[in-house]
Structure formats: structure tokens, C-alpha cells
């Protein structure tokens, strides 16, 4: 297998089985074999032994060729005692002491296994409301979020990876102003991403500069009013300050809720790409688009992509079967709707290889073509599975029953961030532009190593302009923008996240969203000099472009920034 040193390091640290002394019990191929075998075993009921071996081989090859990878918990836990394979969960937060602490316990169990949790705190009574049983006053959603945060912090060390949460509050909750500013200080509530749940009514009120009502979730009565535009401006200012909160459009999540009779969608998973019902989980997987490049024809191999999508849907559907869910309620919901989320990674890399600039109309059009193709093929594959294995158990309560479409999975497509998966596959993450063309990494003994984007390296070698000095020069800023030694056409194509103007980020997100059942993980990067007006424009544009949510990040606006241009630790 062709894996980078970095990928091997990550896999050894967190993914490969070890004994109690920390000695590795498997190598990377061994891990993929373990996963392929376990996931194929879901077909025991449907096929004979030879068929099972064939399926296992298909899965094994698809992963070892790095054409498809399932989300991290599947790689970590399949075929091992924990057996929890999903990355995404949403848990309900009820307005009772028992309910709140029950959910904290359940979230801890999920984090331990590498899953992330999302919650809406909108049902909690506002700060200062009466508590009947004690005669005291309620401390409100934000103070409880801090308890969730502390629990996550405590579980961090023992788990497979750092627990991640999404916290959502409806914009019409009486404590909304406190929520919007609760991460003003970056060292607070660090284990949460936060998003304001925006409604269409609210957006209309912003447009017409009107007041809107705050509703007490307990009594369902209006308890106050705020000017929508002013609230929007505070959201914008906070996001400008350090990237939080993001916003999600609740009505849109529910417009696309395929099982409305089962309940309302009130939250997503931590990175925002997977809206779920309370107690629902979802397993994700991503096709590596860069590996779909037909180098000879210099085009995307759609036949190969179609086949990979089909196998990937089969794989992800099997995951639901063999998954060990941490709670009875989650088991029931997740097997009931059988949601899966197939997405992509390596998008920017294949654009570069094809010579198409990320910030161009051609790229946006290709995004639509590719994702429409993936969505269609994923649905077709799920319909085929339904013919063989049956529709999902809650099918009768779904929109598909009304349309007469017999399908096995209530949703099939989601664009995940692929933070670790893309590192393992050695490609650009999700649908994000390349972060830096080259950068300096500190390795042991204070030695510096220059990492160069592999697609660029290939182009530079072919174009005869590769040199170590040049790569070092590029690493200083990460971008090719001002490097005149490099041909102009190359500079146009190899653009980085910071070279791409915000509207192109949003256009790309919207292009993928159009053909994605669930949602799209995307960060709109802004330069350090961007103003609050720029942020407002991005939010408004994303709303008009039919995105389901939007997250921005202004360069240098957090003390702790995971990726730094120039130097990465
Ligand atoms: O690449 P990988 O499969 O590790 O994950 P990702 O695509 O970056 O993230 C997908 C989802 O995994 C996130 O939206 C979270 O629900 C979950 N996740 C988590 O719980 N904790 C993390 N540290 C990273 C991801």
C-alpha cells in the first residue's frame, strides 16, 4: 500500500489493534482485512461462503486501493469488542434533571467509542425560570452546555479520539443572546462547535428589519421580542471574531426530513454535515475522487466511480447490520431508518490534476455533474439492495412510501470533512480547496521537513520547475500567488483555501448540496483583513444559495489554529 509516513503514524497511534502493553497486533493491511471481513459478514444471511469471500475481497480492495474509506470509528472498531462503527449521533436533551444527565452519560459512552454527538438545547427552559420541585430558578441551556463540555473533557484521555459535540439553540429561544456569545472567549466550551438554529421567519424579519418573538419552550408562549437584524449582526460579529457560532437553517433540514412522521430534526452531528433525528446515528464513508482520475484521457472515470459508489453503498448498508450501538434507543432508530452518508474527498486534487481552477464556473459545473452522478448511483444501489434485502423498517412512515420508491436507506449521501480519512488517503479533504501547496513540518530534533502537495509536485516535475529551494519559498506563504517562477496557468489552477474568494467557497458548497441528501461540511475561509460586512455577505449568500448551514473562519482569528500556513507542528 502507498501510505505516507504521516498516515502510518496516525494509523499506528489510534487505529491499529494493540495488546495491553501497547504492542501492535496488526499492520495496516491487517486492519483493512479485519474491517472487510467484519463488514462482509453482514451478508451471511444472503449468500453462500464463496459469495461472502468475494464480498470481503471487494471491500478489502476498495479500501487498500484508497478508493473508498469508511469513517474512522468503522476502521477503529470493526471486528473488535467495542464494535461501534458510526461517527455521527444526535441525542435529545429533555427539560428535566434526569433527562439532562442521562444524555450526558450517553454522550460519554458515544465519545469513548470515537463517535461525535450533536444536541439541541432548545427544549431547556430559559435561565431564571421557576423550578417547581425545589422552588429555585433554572440555570438555563448555556450553563448545562458547560456541564456537557466538562464531561467530554474528562472522557477525552481514555477514548479512541477527542470527543466532539455540536450545540444548537433555536434563534427564538429566550437565552439566544447568551448562546451567541458563549464562545466569545475561545478557551470556553472548547469541546463544542456551536450553531444558531435559524428559521425562515427569522431570515424574513432580518430582511425587513422587523422584530421577532422569543418563545418559552416550556409554555410555548411568547416572552419577549428582539430585533432580528440586530441579532443577526451579533451572530456575524461573533463569527467574525473567532468563527463561532455557525448557522444552520432548521426549516431546510426539515424540508428534507424523509421521515417527518418520526419526528423533527433539531440538530446535526458535530461538523454539521449530518442532520439526524434524536437517537439516530449514521455511518459515513467517502470516495476518493482523486483515485477516479483516468490519467491517460485526463478525465474523471465515471464507470469506475459508478462501480465504487455501488460497492460503497453495499458496504455502508452492511455497517448498519454489524454495528454495536451504545443504547437500545439508538439501535432501534438507526436500524429503523438505515441512513448512510456517502461523500467524497480529494475533490481539489482532481480539479488540479484536470487543470480546472477551484474558483471557476467549470469547477462548479463539474461539482454538480459529479455529485448528481454519485447521488443517482447511490440511490439506485440502495433500491437494488431493497429488492434483495428489503426496505428500511420505518419505510411506511417515509416520503418514499408515498412516492412508491422502494429504497433500503432513508438517506444515502453526505459530504463529511474527512479530517483523518483524507490524511490516510493522502488527498485533499472533503470538497475543500488545498490548504497549502507546500508547508514546513517540524520533525524530531528540530529538523524541518518540507511537505509538498503530491499533485503539485507531479506537475512541477513534469513542467521542469521543481526545486527544493522553490518548494521552501512556497512554504513561506503556502500559496503560489506571488511566485513568478511558476507559469501563470499553473498558478491559476493550484489555488489554496486562502486564494479562493469567499463567494466561490459558498458556490462550491451549494453545488454539492444540491445533490446531497444530507448536508455538506465546508468552511468558508476569509482573510485576516475581512470585515464583518464580508461575513454578513457570506451568510446571506449561503442562505440564498440554498445551503443548509454555513461556517466561516477568518484566518488568525483563534489563538489555537489547527492548520497554520508557514509552519505546521
Ligand atoms: O475523517 P474521519 O472519518 O476521522 O472524520 P471526519 O470526516 O473529519 O468527521 C466526520 C464526523 O466524525 C464528524 O462530523 C463528527 O461527527 C465525528 N468526529 C468526532 O466525533 N470526533 C472527531 N475528533 C472527529 C470527527
Amino acid at each position: 500500500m502507498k501510505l505516507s509516513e504521516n498516515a502510518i503514524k496516525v494509523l499506528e497511534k489510534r487505529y491499529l489493534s494493540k495488546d495491553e502493553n501497547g504492542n501492535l497486533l496488526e499492520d495496516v493491511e491487517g486492519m483493512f482485512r479485519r474491517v472487510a471481513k467484519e463488514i462482509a459478514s453482514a451478508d451471511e444471511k444472503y449468500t453462500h461462503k464463496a459469495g461472502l469471500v468475494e464480498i470481503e475481497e471487494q471491500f478489502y480492495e476498495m479500501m487498500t486501493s484508497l478508493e473508498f474509506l469508511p469513517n474512522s470509528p468503522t476502521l477503529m472498531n470493526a471486528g473488535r469488542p467495542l464494535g461501534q462503527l458510526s461517527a455521527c449521533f444526535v441525542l435529545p436533551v429533555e427539560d428535566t434533571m434526569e433527562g439532562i444527565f442521562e444524555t450526558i452519560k450517553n454522550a460519554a459512552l458515544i465519545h469513548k467509542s470515537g463517535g461525535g454527538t450533536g444536541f439541541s438545547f432548545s427544549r431547556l427552559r430559559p435561565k431564571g425560570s421557576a423550578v417547581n420541585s425545589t422552588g429555585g430558578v433554572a440555570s438555563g441551556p448555556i450553563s448545562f452546555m458547560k456541564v456537557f463540555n466538562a464531561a467530554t473533557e474528562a472522557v477525552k484521555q481514555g477514548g479512541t479520539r477527542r470527543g466532539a459535540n455540536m450545540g444548537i439553540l433555536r434563534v427564538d429561544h429566550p437565552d439566544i443572546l447568551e448562546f451567541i456569545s458563549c464562545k466569545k472567549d475561545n478557551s470556553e466550551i472548547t469541546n463544542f462547535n456551536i450553531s444558531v438554529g435559524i428559521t425562515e421567519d427569522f431570515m424574513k424579519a432580518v430582511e425587513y428589519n422587523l422584530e421577532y418573538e422569543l418563545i418559552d419552550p416550556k409554555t410555548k408562549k411568547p416572552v419577549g421580542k428582539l430585533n432580528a437584524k440586530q441579532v443577526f449582526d451579533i451572530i456575524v460579529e461573533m463569527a467574525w471574531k473567532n468563527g463561532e457560532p455557525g448557522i444552520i437553517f432548521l426549516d431546510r433540514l426539515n424540508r428534507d426530513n424523509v421521515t417527518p412522521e418520526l419526528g423533527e430534526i433539531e440538530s446535526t452531528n458535530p461538523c454539521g454535515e449530518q442532520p439526524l433525528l434524536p437517537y439516530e446515528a449514521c455511518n459515513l464513508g467517502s470516495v476518493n475522487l482523486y483515485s477516479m482520475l483516468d490519467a491517460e484521457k485526463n478525465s474523471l472515470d465515471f464507470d469506475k466511480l459508478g462501480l465504487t459508489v455501488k460497492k460503497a453503498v453495499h458496504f455502508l448498508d452492511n455497517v448498519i447490520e454489524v454495528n454495536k450501538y451504545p443504547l437500545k434507543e439508538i439501535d432501534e432508530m438507526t436500524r429503523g431508518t438505515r441512513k448512510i452518508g456517502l461523500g467524497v474527498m480529494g475533490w481539489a486534487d482532481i480539479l488540479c490534476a484536470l487543470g480546472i481552477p477551484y474558483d471557476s464556473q467549470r469547477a462548479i459545473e463539474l461539482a454538480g455533474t459529479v455529485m448528481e452522478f454519485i447521488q443517482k448511483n447511490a440511490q439506485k444501489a440502495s433500491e437494488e439492495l431493497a429488492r434483495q434485502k428489503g426496505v428500511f423498517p420505518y419505510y411506511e412512515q417515509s416520503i418514499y412510501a408515498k412516492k412508491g420508491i422502494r429504497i433500503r436507506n432513508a438517506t444515502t449521501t453526505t459530504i463529511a470533512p474527512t479530517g483523518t480519512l483524507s490524511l490516510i488517503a493522502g488527498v485533499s479533504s472533503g470538497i475543500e480547496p488545498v490548504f497549502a501547496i507546500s508547508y514546513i513540518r517540524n520533525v524530531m530534533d528540530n529538523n524541518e521537513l518540507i511537505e509538498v502537495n503530491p499533485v503539485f509536485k507531479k506537475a512541477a516535475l513534469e513542467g521542469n520547475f521543481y526545486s527544493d529551494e522553490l518548494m521552501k519559498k512556497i512554504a513561506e506563504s503556502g500559496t503560489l500567488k506571488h511566485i513568478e517562477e511558476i507559469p501563470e496557468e499553473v498558478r491559476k489552477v493550484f489555488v489554496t483555501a486562502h486564494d479562493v474568494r469567499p463567494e466561490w467557497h459558498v458556490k462550491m458548497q451549494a453545488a454539492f448540496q444540491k445533490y446531497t441528501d444530507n448536508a455538506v461540511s465546508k468552511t468558508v475561509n476569509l482573510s485576516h483583513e475581512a470585515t464583518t460586512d464580508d461575513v454578513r455577505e457570506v451568510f446571506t449568500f449561503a442562505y440564498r444559495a440554498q445551503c443548509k448551514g454555513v461556517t466561516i473562519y477568518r484566518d488568525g482569528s483563534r489563538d489555537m489554529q489547527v492548520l497554520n500556513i508557514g509552519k505546521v507542528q
Side-chain angles (χ1 to χ4, degrees):
M1 281 191 71
K2 276 196 294 180
L3 291 171
S4 71
E5 202 186 306
N6 245 353
I8 293 170
K9 237 195 252 161
V10 169
L11 287 166
E12 285 181 352
K13 194 160 171 226
R14 296 269 187 195
Y15 292 63
L16 304 185
S17 297
K18 296 193 191 97
D19 66 16
E20 61 275 18
N21 299 321
N23 301 314
L24 294 177
L25 294 172
E26 63 188 6
D27 56 13
V28 179
E29 274 94 349
M31 172 191 78
F32 285 123
R33 180 57 69 188
R34 160 171 61 76
V35 176
K37 202 177 199 64
E38 175 71 3
I39 305 307
S41 76
D43 276 301
E44 267 164 11
K45 302 184 263 220
Y46 304 99
T47 183
H48 46 77
K49 197 138 193 269
L52 213 56
V53 171
E54 204 177 300
I55 294 167
E56 178 186 324
E57 278 315 302
Q58 270 188 9
F59 291 169
Y60 179 76
E61 274 203 11
M62 190 166 57
M63 292 187 286
T64 48
S65 60
L66 301 172
E67 285 164 11
F68 162 85
L69 290 175
N71 58 205
S72 290
T74 304
L75 293 176
M76 291 166 169
N77 303 331
R80 291 172 70 185
L82 202 53
Q84 196 296 102
L85 311 179
S86 298
C88 314
F89 293 79
V90 165
L91 295 173
V93 183
E94 302 298 343
D95 185 40
T96 64
M97 212 46 109
E98 289 79 2
I100 292 169
F101 283 89
E102 185 63 28
T103 295
I104 292 175
K105 179 188 84 185
N106 293 337
L109 293 175
I110 292 168
H111 291 165
K112 194 176 99 174
S113 66
T117 43
F119 321 89
S120 165
F121 291 93
S122 303
R123 265 174 276 171
L124 297 188
R125 72 192 77 181
K127 191 177 188 168
S129 313
V131 178
N132 291 341
S133 55
T134 58
V137 289
S139 55
I142 291 83
S143 75
F144 283 114
M145 273 175 72
K146 290 181 183 164
V147 184
F148 277 72
N149 189 65
T152 306
E153 189 70 29
V155 179
K156 222 180 212 170
Q157 297 306 324
T160 43
R161 61 176 172 179
R162 184 174 179 268
N165 300 300
M166 168 65 89
I168 285 174
L169 199 71
R170 285 179 64 94
V171 74
D172 53 12
H173 189 286
D175 290 359
I176 192 63
L177 291 179
E178 186 188 355
F179 178 81
I180 294 168
S181 304
C182 76
K183 291 196 69 177
K184 187 174 180 178
D185 174 353
N186 239 191
S187 60
E188 284 267 0
I189 324 189
T190 46
N191 300 310
F192 267 89
N193 292 328
I194 60 164
S195 268
V196 179
I198 301 268
T199 59
E200 296 290 324
D201 283 349
F202 174 80
M203 287 310 284
K204 286 215 182 79
V206 172
E207 195 181 341
Y208 297 111
N209 196 10
L210 299 173
E211 290 193 319
Y212 74 104
E213 279 177 340
L214 299 175
I215 313 285
D216 183 323
K218 196 143 193 287
T219 61
K220 310 265 185 279
K221 295 214 170 90
V223 288
K225 279 184 179 176
L226 287 172
N227 177 284
K229 201 165 166 300
Q230 279 170 11
V231 172
F232 196 65
D233 282 346
I234 304 172
I235 298 173
V236 164
E237 200 191 316
M238 287 300 130
W240 175 86
K241 195 168 175 287
N242 61 21
E244 298 222 60
I247 53 179
I248 62 160
F249 301 115
L250 288 176
D251 300 314
R252 280 183 196 164
L253 301 189
N254 281 294
R255 180 196 63 196
D256 289 350
N257 179 0
V258 290
T259 54
E261 287 175 35
L262 296 181
E264 197 182 313
I265 292 180
E266 52 179 24
S267 181
T268 67
N269 69 325
C271 302
E273 71 275 16
Q274 188 61 49
L276 291 168
L277 295 165
Y279 287 126
E280 216 179 1
C282 184
N283 66 90
L284 311 176
S286 300
V287 173
N288 173 1
L289 286 177
Y290 185 55
S291 73
M292 300 293 138
L293 178 72
D294 182 336
E296 261 170 45
K297 291 195 193 131
N298 196 35
S299 65
L300 206 150
D301 185 341
F302 278 92
D303 291 340
K304 186 173 171 188
L305 179 60
L307 266 176
T308 309
V309 167
K310 187 175 174 198
K311 285 185 280 182
V313 168
H314 180 190
F315 183 108
L316 295 174
D317 182 65
N318 277 14
V319 171
I320 300 170
E321 217 56 33
V322 296
N323 205 344
K324 289 185 191 154
Y325 300 94
L327 277 180
K328 194 171 86 351
E329 291 89 336
I330 296 176
D331 189 296
E332 237 170 75
M333 274 303 286
T334 309
R335 289 185 199 278
T337 55
R338 302 189 72 87
K339 283 184 184 168
I340 58 171
L342 181 64
V344 298
M345 58 181 158
W347 170 240
D349 282 348
I350 194 166
L351 283 179
C352 287
L354 295 173
I356 303 173
Y358 187 97
D359 46 356
S360 69
Q361 199 50 37
R362 268 179 79 201
I364 303 296
E365 276 159 24
L366 187 61
T369 308
V370 168
M371 203 55 214
E372 184 180 23
F373 181 84
I374 292 176
Q375 187 183 42
K376 267 198 183 138
N377 279 276
Q379 284 171 353
K380 202 171 105 200
S382 179
E383 286 172 38
E384 272 169 34
L385 287 174
R387 281 194 285 280
Q388 190 198 354
K389 302 176 173 177
V391 293
F392 58 94
Y394 290 141
Y395 174 78
E396 287 305 328
Q397 283 108 301
S398 79
I399 57 154
Y400 296 108
K402 294 181 182 74
K403 292 185 192 163
I405 300 169
R406 298 187 64 76
I407 197 161
R408 185 156 170 83
N409 309 93
T411 67
T412 50
T413 41
T414 302
I415 312 270
T418 69
T420 337
L421 295 190
S422 61
L423 199 152
I424 296 171
V427 296
S428 58
S429 54
I431 60 158
E432 298 291 357
V434 174
F435 191 78
I437 300 296
S438 79
Y439 62 90
I440 297 170
R441 189 156 60 87
N442 286 336
V443 289
M444 272 173 283
D445 304 328
N446 274 339
N447 281 329
E448 287 184 346
L449 196 79
I450 300 183
E451 297 271 0
V452 183
N453 175 284
V455 190
F456 178 72
K457 189 169 181 177
K458 195 162 165 273
L461 287 168
E462 282 168 9
N464 279 327
F465 57 85
Y466 186 89
S467 74
D468 287 345
E469 296 87 85
L470 184 60
M471 298 307 125
K472 208 166 185 175
K473 187 172 171 192
I474 297 169
E476 282 163 21
S477 65
T479 163
L480 306 182
K481 223 173 174 177
H482 307 292
I483 313 237
E484 276 157 19
E485 297 94 302
I486 295 175
E488 171 114 33
E489 346 47 284
V490 177
R491 280 193 271 157
K492 251 193 200 146
V493 169
F494 286 88
V495 287
T496 67
H498 292 277
D499 302 330
V500 171
R501 290 209 314 272
E503 66 261 36
W504 287 104
H505 281 276
V506 179
K507 277 185 192 172
M508 192 59 81
Q509 181 180 338
F512 275 95
Q513 181 61 71
K514 189 164 177 204
Y515 300 106
T516 302
D517 301 350
N518 294 299
V520 176
S521 166
K522 177 90 189 73
T523 300
V524 178
N525 287 93
L526 287 108
S527 69
H528 185 70
E529 295 73 36
T531 63
T532 50
D533 281 343
D534 297 327
V535 175
R536 187 181 301 103
E537 215 167 280
V538 167
F539 279 5
T540 314
F541 183 38
Y543 172 68
R544 296 210 177 108
Q546 295 299 319
C547 294
K548 288 191 176 168
V550 53
T551 307
I552 65 117
Y553 182 70
R554 189 171 59 89
D555 190 34
S557 66
R558 271 184 216 165
D559 314 335
M560 287 274 289
Q561 190 164 306
V562 183
L563 288 165
N564 270 304
I565 293 177
K567 248 182 197 180
V568 174
Q569 297 300 319

